[in-house]
Amino acid sequence: MASASLQFFAFILALTGAFGDIAATLLPNWKVNADVGSNIITAITQMQGLWMDCTWYSTGMFSCTLKYSVLSLPIYIQAARTTMVLSCILSAFGICITTVGMKCTKLGGDRDSKSHACFAGGLCFILAGIFGLIPTSWYTREIISNFLDQTIPESSKHEPGGAVYTGFISAGFLLIAGVIFCTSCFKKQQGAWIYPPKQHHFPATEQESNAGYNLKDYV
């Protein structure tokens, strides 16, 4: 019962991480630049994401521009796009597989099949978490290095936005969920190896006597 509850808790973590991963991929605020200027009325907030750049004015106007050209983007943005999409796909696969392998569901067949499915889903969550950490860490490093560069003007410097923090938290949830699923299945298999099922061995004389008795019945 405790293992089933732990798996259900890990599934909730993975589901939250998957939705956060998708949100972080689509949000336009991976890096933010707030330019107040000389007048608070003309203050603007510039946000840059993986797929679009947005500008929000203090008057309430909001405009976005999609990034159509892929080759013109920096290498870290191209890598972030690829890894975040892979993270979303792996987390979706992990949710589908662990739904079959969880102990609280009636899918997946026997106990060994459910254990293998649970372990495979845990591996998908771990890979999704790793693919989610790579772009957020690389993107944050680029933001910090540009912010500390004295040759770059202040108007061109940015700070990490909410999408980066969402990606970090979602990747952590996916990693924790994957470790819980893998360790729960590993403990189950380890117990089967340490305590194998007992096999009853009958003496040969007893088996021969039973065979002889059965032959007498047919004579």
Side-chain angles (χ1 to χ4, degrees), residues 17-18 20-25 30 50 76 79-91 123-141 162-175:
D21 217 11
I22 296 173
T25 305
W30 277 67
L50 301 180
Y76 69 94
R81 281 185 173 186
T82 304
T83 51
M84 288 301 293
V85 170
L86 287 175
S87 179
C88 294
I89 294 174
L90 286 172
S91 60
L123 286 180
C124 288
F125 289 142
I126 292 176
L127 291 176
I130 293 174
F131 280 125
L133 282 177
I134 291 174
T136 50
S137 302
W138 193 355
Y139 210 99
T140 304
R141 178 184 175 276
V164 175
Y165 301 113
T166 304
F168 272 118
I169 296 173
S170 302
F173 283 169
L174 290 171
L175 286 174

Side-chain angles (χ1 to χ4, degrees), residues 70-126:
V70 178
L71 298 178
S72 63
L73 296 175
I75 186 64
Y76 69 94
I77 296 181
Q78 297 181 21
R81 281 185 173 186
T82 304
T83 51
M84 288 301 293
V85 170
L86 287 175
S87 179
C88 294
I89 294 174
L90 286 172
S91 60
F93 280 155
I95 290 173
C96 296
I97 296 173
T98 51
T99 302
V100 177
M102 290 174 62
K103 297 178 67 175
C104 59
T105 61
K106 296 182 179 180
L107 304 173
D110 56 356
R111 182 179 298 180
D112 292 335
S113 299
K114 291 176 73 69
S115 178
H116 294 159
C118 185
F119 186 79
L123 286 180
C124 288
F125 289 142
I126 292 176

Side-chain angles (χ1 to χ4, degrees), residues 12-207:
I12 295 299
L13 283 180
L15 198 62
T16 306
F19 281 116
D21 217 11
I22 296 173
T25 305
L26 299 177
L27 283 175
N29 57 339
W30 277 67
K31 56 182 178 181
V32 180
N33 179 18
D35 186 10
V36 178
S38 60
N39 191 356
I40 191 65
I41 299 178
T42 61
I44 60 174
T45 301
Q46 296 179 349
M47 299 176 292
Q48 297 184 16
L50 301 180
W51 312 96
M52 66 181 68
D53 296 336
C54 296
T55 303
W56 181 82
Y57 300 90
S58 59
T59 56
M61 297 182 62
F62 194 83
S63 62
C64 293
T65 303
L66 293 175
K67 297 178 179 179
Y68 292 104
S69 179
V70 178
L71 298 178
S72 63
L73 296 175
I75 186 64
Y76 69 94
I77 296 181
Q78 297 181 21
R81 281 185 173 186
T82 304
T83 51
M84 288 301 293
V85 170
L86 287 175
S87 179
C88 294
I89 294 174
L90 286 172
S91 60
F93 280 155
I95 290 173
C96 296
I97 296 173
T98 51
T99 302
V100 177
M102 290 174 62
K103 297 178 67 175
C104 59
T105 61
K106 296 182 179 180
L107 304 173
D110 56 356
R111 182 179 298 180
D112 292 335
S113 299
K114 291 176 73 69
S115 178
H116 294 159
C118 185
F119 186 79
L123 286 180
C124 288
F125 289 142
I126 292 176
L127 291 176
I130 293 174
F131 280 125
L133 282 177
I134 291 174
T136 50
S137 302
W138 193 355
Y139 210 99
T140 304
R141 178 184 175 276
E142 292 292 332
I143 294 174
I144 294 175
S145 62
N146 291 333
F147 189 85
L148 298 177
D149 192 354
Q150 300 297 330
T151 61
I152 297 177
E154 294 293 331
S155 60
S156 300
K157 294 182 178 181
H158 299 81
E159 295 181 358
V164 175
Y165 301 113
T166 304
F168 272 118
I169 296 173
S170 302
F173 283 169
L174 290 171
L175 286 174
I176 294 173
V179 170
I180 291 175
F181 275 116
C182 290
T183 52
S184 63
C185 299
F186 179 74
K187 288 180 179 179
K188 191 185 303 181
Q189 293 177 358
Q190 189 178 17
W193 294 337
I194 296 175
Y195 304 103
K198 295 182 179 180
Q199 297 180 356
H200 300 281
H201 298 280
F202 297 98
T205 56
E206 183 178 354
Q207 293 179 357

